[in-house]
Amino acid sequence: MAEAVIRRGRARLWIGGVLWLVVIVVLALAVGVYAFMRASLPTLDGTIAAAGLRGPVTVARDELGVPLLRGGDRADIAFATGFVHAQERFFQMDLLRRAGSGELAALLGKALLPVDRERRLHRFGARAGVALAALPERDRVVLERYAAGVNAGLAGLAARPFEYGVLRAVPRRWVAQDTLLVAWAMYFDLQDDQFHRVFSRGWLRDQGSSPEQLAFLLPTASGYDAPLDAAAIDEPAAPLPAQPPAWFGKPAKTKVALLEDIGNAEVGSNNWVVAGARSKSGAAIVANDMHLTLRLPHIWYRAAIEIEAPGAPPRRLVGVTLPGTPAIVAGSNGQVAWGLTNSYGAYLDLLELELDPKDPTRYRLPPPLSGAAAGEEWGLIRTVEERIAVAGGEDDVLRVQETAFGPIWERGGRRYAVHWVAHDPGAVNFVSFQLERAATAEEALAIGQRSGIPAQNLVVGDIAGHIGWTIGGALPNRPATWASTFPAPAAASASHTWSGLAPPGSYPSIGNPSSGQIATANARQLAGAAYAAIGDGGADLGARQRQAQASVAALGPSTDEAGVYGVFLDDRALYLAPWRDRALQALAGDTDPAPRAKRDEFKRLLETTWTGRASIDSVGYRLTRAFVAGLYARLFGGVDEAMKEAEKRAAYSRATSRWPAVIARLLDEQPAGWLPQGSADWRAVQLAAIDDAIASIEKDGTPLAEATWGKRNTTRIVHPMAAALPLGMRWLAAPADQMPGDSHMPRVASPDFGQSERFAVSPGREASGVFNMPGGQSGHPLSRNFLGGHADWVAGRPTPLLPGPAVNTLSFVPATPGNAAQR
């Protein structure tokens, strides 16, 4: 008995000892991880001696970590910018350059190999060195000094950024051409969808659709459009053919799994400018909110710059920078303010190749390239092997085939040459640096037209009150005969595509309109013939642009930054209101006993919970939106399913953003020949869409009466490493906030896409400028600035654009033999 007690006691002691050992090991591991994480926090104070500086530079950060960089030389400030970017955001910068070159799998593993294969097709890594050598020396020096600052910042961390510890990887040094790769990464982000748009349009054409059917189904304008140069687009609507194409109105073989995702915000950015004649100060007011994917760390890094060069007047710049580049992307220089939205012009052509039946390495050239009669000359396909490194696996070899027009892209059994403006030697340059020194709106517009960036709607305003718009960025020089956004034969490319970039003076532009305002929101910009220079590369429906223009006009003859900023928060449901009316009309008098109870509840909620806004408490808004998605699925779900068998990102909604106008016209005209399979009339189509909407919303167990828009529109802003770490979704994610706003209104919002920043500023009055953005300055979860300002963005609260009082100051001085190790 005594021995048993002793044995039990020993067992308890042994078990207790093991448990304590486990606790000690876990605590030690936690302390080690915490210590490693802290070691990669940035240096905020002190003095650093740096080689290559011409003079001292200071970085004074406010309580949100927003720096004021002050120095006498722009290249020195680029060095300091690179230093702070690297210490706060190096992992983000690394992902951007790898996204541009197609090298993500080398860091993140095999899961990213499909992305790399798509991007390596364009060989931007090989183009970057050539593009860097072509830059003017002044720009090249700035990029080289920026790269030196990045590497100094990375070396100055006591431990590598924490993401590399998780990945067991070593950060790769930054070189000047990496900044060009960041610019190409933005080409992918802003223009990559054009591949799938052009392919989708070609697929629809090639399924036996007549020109008349395509003209109706792919309209070039609608009543939603709100061009900058006219009240509306005066183009007659295409006649409605008696019969649809064979693919129309067929149900999908499988139920649409994510019905409510149809119509999600994927297109975005707003900017507007008010002339001095309508501002209280007499200076123009520029407002900008660029809509992008929302993640942590946030895409933008705020900064203010003061340059005090000997013999020159001091300059102050303020705005947002993109880590990986040293420039202010959008903001104010004290004389001119500027903002950007994606222009969605036609910047990519798919040219179908006709291969030589006797030699598959040859393709037919058009007469202007061959110098011979049509059909008498052939081009030779060049093959280049691209080796793609894969972390934890074997290298993958991609055989890239190139033509005179661009690389070959194969889809749906066809081979296309990709003729993309991003491949042009002038597609990436740093002329946009000059916006920092522009003195007038007119000068800023001219700079925009020479800039090598993805083509943007550039709006500008100056201190004298002048305003203007143009396309800022690389614009293809298309022939006057061009009028198509379908795939075209490469052998006839002389009349179907472009050669070189458009000369700056040929860009469309608008200056000082009589309305005293310009507002763009990714929609068709021009009503007249000048639009052909831009082309439709997926321009937005136009409802958001129309609402923004009206909201800016409603500010009246005398407004200020706060008033102009307020338009960002306009979440009125002007686009969806008529669709709610359609649903109510379809439900009126419904006598079908089977779904009657559910439909009656749907009708009651439409009538009683509609707030007229995309507000988080509105059930009626969510139900109306799901009804429209249900209509789309009923009419185009089958064709989308068939298209995706050839190309996974193809869809009718990609072929035209004006699909709501097409559906509205069908419901208005109710053509019997266009009724979907199994539908007795168009009222039955609408009731079926309502039933689908109910089923989709209730699928997860949410009662219809509790299905508020806020529950559907809840933010999901996370760090890429969140899923890879214990408690990652707690420490590497922003709070899950219910957000007002949606597509087709100025306040664009979806769970992981939306307003990436909001600012309003008058040049010369930056102290009155306002700003907020969804993420903080730092990419480090232990930094106090990881989510600094996030709550203001959620609430729509304007905060000062300029940095506040300094709480940390870091100084850089030129290295000398006596201070080379000074920190």
Side-chain angles (χ1 to χ4, degrees):
M1 183 73 175
E3 290 180 1
V5 171
I6 292 171
R7 284 197 298 270
R8 285 197 296 270
R10 288 174 178 172
R12 283 195 294 268
L13 287 172
W14 185 85
I15 293 170
V18 169
L19 290 176
W20 274 110
L21 181 62
V22 170
V23 169
I24 291 169
V25 169
V26 169
L27 287 175
L29 181 63
V31 169
V33 170
Y34 181 78
F36 173 78
M37 295 278 286
R38 281 200 61 83
S40 60
L41 282 167
T43 302
L44 302 179
D45 295 287
T47 299
I48 296 174
L53 289 183
R54 298 178 182 177
V57 181
T58 59
V59 179
R61 289 177 169 97
D62 69 5
E63 63 178 357
L64 290 176
V66 181
L68 170 61
L69 298 101
R70 184 183 288 114
D73 181 83
R74 188 63 182 90
D76 287 350
I77 291 174
F79 176 93
T81 305
F83 188 98
V84 298
H85 278 174
Q87 292 217 324
E88 301 272 23
R89 303 284 194 88
F90 186 80
F91 184 65
Q92 173 193 0
M93 297 164 59
D94 195 9
L95 292 187
L96 279 172
R97 67 174 167 182
R98 290 174 182 273
S101 61
E103 296 179 282
L104 291 164
L107 181 66
L108 301 175
K110 190 175 181 179
L112 274 295
L113 183 58
V115 177
D116 279 357
R117 289 181 65 87
E118 287 184 0
R119 299 195 170 188
R120 194 67 72 88
L121 182 74
H122 306 281
R123 305 187 66 237
F124 289 135
R127 299 175 192 268
V130 176
L132 179 69
L135 293 179
E137 182 180 1
R138 178 175 181 173
D139 293 347
R140 194 165 59 250
V141 166
V142 170
L143 297 189
E144 289 169 348
R145 293 306 298 155
Y146 176 79
V150 171
N151 293 323
L154 193 59
L157 295 173
R160 57 191 162 170
F162 77 91
E163 296 94 341
Y164 296 91
V166 175
L167 295 169
R168 299 181 181 179
V170 177
R172 190 177 78 198
R173 286 176 60 82
W174 196 265
V175 292
Q177 54 260 44
D178 287 339
T179 294
L180 280 69
L181 291 173
V182 170
W184 271 308
M186 296 311 296
Y187 269 99
F188 282 121
D189 200 37
L190 299 171
Q191 296 182 6
D192 178 63
D193 200 56
Q194 296 197 18
F195 284 81
H196 315 291
R197 168 183 164 79
V198 178
F199 177 86
S200 299
R201 293 169 73 84
W203 192 97
L204 295 173
R205 179 196 61 190
D206 296 340
Q207 303 308 305
S209 307
S210 70
E212 294 76 18
Q213 290 166 339
L214 289 174
F216 169 73
L217 288 163
L218 304 174
T220 58
S222 78
Y224 291 108
D225 281 295
L228 308 182
D229 59 344
I233 297 174
D234 187 18
E235 292 182 9
L240 176 57
Q243 297 294 326
W247 50 260
F248 175 83
K250 292 183 177 180
K253 295 176 184 177
T254 57
K255 198 73 173 177
V256 178
L258 299 172
L259 183 67
E260 288 192 89
D261 283 351
I262 296 173
N264 270 0
E266 292 182 351
V267 174
S269 294
N270 302 315
N271 61 15
W272 38 83
V273 58
V274 172
R278 287 182 52 194
S279 79
K280 292 178 180 178
S281 69
I285 308 173
V286 171
N288 194 192
D289 67 326
M290 295 176 276
H291 306 159
L292 294 164
T293 300
L294 304 179
R295 61 173 67 92
L296 296 175
H298 189 52
I299 186 169
W300 305 119
Y301 184 86
R302 298 176 62 185
I305 296 172
E306 289 186 357
I307 306 172
E308 300 172 344
R315 287 187 288 134
R316 181 171 65 184
L317 315 167
V318 62
V320 293
T321 66
L322 176 63
T325 73
I328 297 289
V329 175
S332 176
N333 69 11
Q335 297 293 314
V336 174
W338 67 96
L340 306 170
T341 69
N342 200 18
S343 60
Y344 288 92
Y347 307 133
L348 180 148
D349 295 337
L350 294 181
L351 303 176
E352 188 170 356
L353 296 172
E354 179 187 347
L355 299 183
D356 184 347
K358 299 178 181 179
D359 183 354
T361 66
R362 302 200 311 166
Y363 61 96
R364 194 182 299 279
L365 287 171
L369 286 182
S370 67
E376 293 184 2
E377 193 59 61
W378 301 87
L380 186 65
I381 294 173
R382 174 175 174 260
T383 300
V384 181
E385 286 193 352
E386 287 283 316
R387 185 168 294 275
I388 304 174
V390 180
E394 295 182 358
D395 288 0
D396 182 74
V397 177
L398 177 68
R399 298 180 76 248
V400 178
Q401 294 184 304
E402 297 183 323
T403 71
F405 307 106
I408 295 176
W409 186 68
E410 297 188 43
R411 286 297 187 276
R414 303 192 182 199
R415 307 182 83 197
Y416 303 96
V418 179
H419 197 38
W420 187 15
V421 71
H423 299 151
D424 192 274
V428 173
N429 64 37
F430 284 88
V431 171
S432 57
F433 277 158
Q434 298 173 25
L435 285 170
E436 297 182 354
R437 302 189 296 275
T440 66
E442 183 179 13
E443 183 181 351
L445 293 178
I447 292 168
Q449 293 180 8
R450 302 194 307 272
S451 295
I453 59 174
Q456 302 288 294
N457 290 307
L458 172 66
V459 300
V460 303
D462 65 26
I463 195 169
H466 303 299
I467 64 175
W469 162 88
T470 192
I471 296 296
L475 195 63
N477 190 20
R478 292 196 177 275
T481 55
W482 179 84
S484 174
T485 51
F486 293 91
S493 65
S495 60
H496 287 84
T497 191
W498 50 275
S499 178
L501 299 182
S506 69
Y507 280 47
S509 63
I510 293 173
N512 295 319
S514 59
S515 63
Q517 70 175 61
I518 299 170
T520 83
N522 311 116
R524 177 171 169 173
Q525 300 92 339
L526 302 172
Y531 185 59
I534 305 170
D536 188 349
D540 196 27
L541 177 64
R544 174 164 50 93
Q545 186 157 299
R546 180 169 292 279
Q547 186 165 334
Q549 289 176 354
S551 295
V552 175
L555 295 173
S558 181
T559 188
D560 57 15
E561 293 87 346
V564 171
Y565 169 89
V567 179
F568 291 138
L569 308 182
D570 181 0
D571 60 3
R572 291 174 299 152
L574 303 186
Y575 159 73
L576 270 190
W579 293 99
R580 170 180 174 266
D581 295 341
R582 290 182 188 277
L584 288 171
Q585 289 169 11
L587 288 163
D590 174 34
T591 58
D592 189 340
R596 179 70 181 276
K598 289 291 186 184
R599 289 178 182 175
D600 282 351
E601 184 182 16
F602 191 96
K603 179 174 181 290
R604 177 183 63 79
L605 292 169
L606 282 184
E607 292 172 334
T608 61
T609 68
W610 177 259
T611 63
R613 296 179 177 274
S615 53
I616 62 174
D617 60 339
S618 177
V619 174
Y621 183 88
R622 183 174 175 183
L623 300 188
T624 303
R625 193 178 186 279
F627 164 63
V628 177
L631 287 170
Y632 178 94
R634 285 272 158 181
L635 300 180
F636 302 109
V639 70
D640 279 2
E641 188 176 63
M643 246 191 281
K644 290 182 190 304
E645 293 179 3
E647 163 52 36
K648 62 183 179 181
R649 289 174 62 185
Y652 172 70
S653 59
R654 276 205 161 85
T656 177
S657 62
R658 296 185 175 89
W659 60 264
V662 173
I663 295 177
R665 191 171 167 196
L666 288 170
L667 296 180
D668 289 340
E669 300 189 26
Q670 301 196 2
W674 285 69
L675 279 170
Q677 291 180 2
S679 300
D681 54 33
W682 284 99
R683 182 167 176 270
V685 175
Q686 294 175 81
L687 291 174
I690 288 170
D691 294 340
D692 292 344
I694 293 170
S696 176
I697 290 172
E698 291 187 332
K699 181 174 56 181
D700 63 356
T702 302
L704 211 58
E706 298 176 15
T708 62
W709 175 237
K711 288 183 178 179
R712 176 70 179 80
N713 205 41
T714 299
T715 57
R716 187 173 57 251
I717 306 174
V718 301
H719 190 284
M721 303 302 297
L725 293 172
L727 301 177
M729 294 304 294
R730 177 177 178 183
W731 301 111
L732 292 173
D737 297 298
Q738 295 188 7
M739 291 293 291
D742 191 14
S743 311
H744 306 311
M745 58 185 60
R747 189 167 191 170
V748 168
S750 73
D752 58 1
F753 183 92
Q755 295 172 314
S756 67
E757 44 69 46
R758 310 180 186 109
F759 75 75
V761 61
S762 275
R765 289 175 42 86
E766 288 75 18
S768 299
V770 293
F771 182 94
N772 57 50
M773 70 181 190
Q777 289 288 93
S778 179
H780 200 298
L782 296 184
S783 168
R784 68 173 186 265
N785 299 318
F786 184 56
L787 286 173
H790 173 79
D792 294 321
W793 175 82
V794 171
R797 234 178 349 255
T799 59
L801 174 64
L802 287 176
V807 297
N808 301 101
T809 300
L810 181 65
S811 299
F812 298 90
V813 297
T816 66
N819 71 359
Q822 183 178 351
R823 288 294 301 254

